[in-house]
Amino acid sequence: MKILIVEDEKEIADGICKILEKAKYQVDCAYDGLSGLDYILSEIYDLVLLDVMLPKLNGFDIVKNIRSQGIHIPVIMLTAKSQVDDKITGLNIGADDYVTKPFDAGELLARINARLRGNREIKDGRIKVYDIILDPTTYMLYKEEKSVKMSKTEYCLLEYLMMNKNIILSKEMIFNKVWGYDDDSEYNNIEVYVSFLRKKLKFVNAKTIIETKKGVGYLLCEKEEENG
Ligand code: CA
């Protein structure tokens, strides 16, 4: 899963980044409010950690802006201990939670996991969709007793499809989310990795399949029961 940190104090941002990467999240950092807003509007992130005092555009204005555009990404505000009012203001304008600086890694991760669990199917850190389970710490795919190891890219692609089950994802969306804007790879890579995933889903005997919607993209769904 992809998390965005918007924080102008580079040391804090990098510290959080390390904690999150250790917990197997993909992380990007933005160091001012305007670029933070730009990143959020790309809609490739699953959650944003947002500082309040930021150059160019403050955290509250960012939340107001994205909520007014109907973007529902979970937002956790990073607030300074002295600014009690910030917590209330943040929650009132549409942030989901806050963490007070300085925070410890355990608390931060617990808050993040709670938020991600809120609108996802996650149990014990594992993601369960239809008849398959994905483990983000080991990159293993499970269906009952069967399991298979995934590469990092396969994992990211399948996770994205699982998080958006039964929704058609365009190649562009998939590419930006899994490979990233600045990657030199080609869109063709998606087809290659989808075929890898199909083999692995078949290997574990999953009813979950990836359908190609010609000219549009892909979606994860459940194979319909065969008659007889
Ligand atoms: Ca700041």
Side-chain angles (χ1 to χ4, degrees), residues 7-9 51 53-54 101:
E7 164 67 78
D8 58 315
E9 282 162 82
D51 186 26
M53 297 301 286
L54 289 164
K101 293 191 270 189

Side-chain angles (χ1 to χ4, degrees), residues 1 120 122 127 129 158-165:
M1 260 171 280
R120 318 281 192 192
I122 295 176
I127 306 152
V129 171
L158 184 58
E159 183 195 74
Y160 186 41
L161 287 161
M162 286 171 77
M163 289 303 186
N164 296 281
K165 67 174 183 182

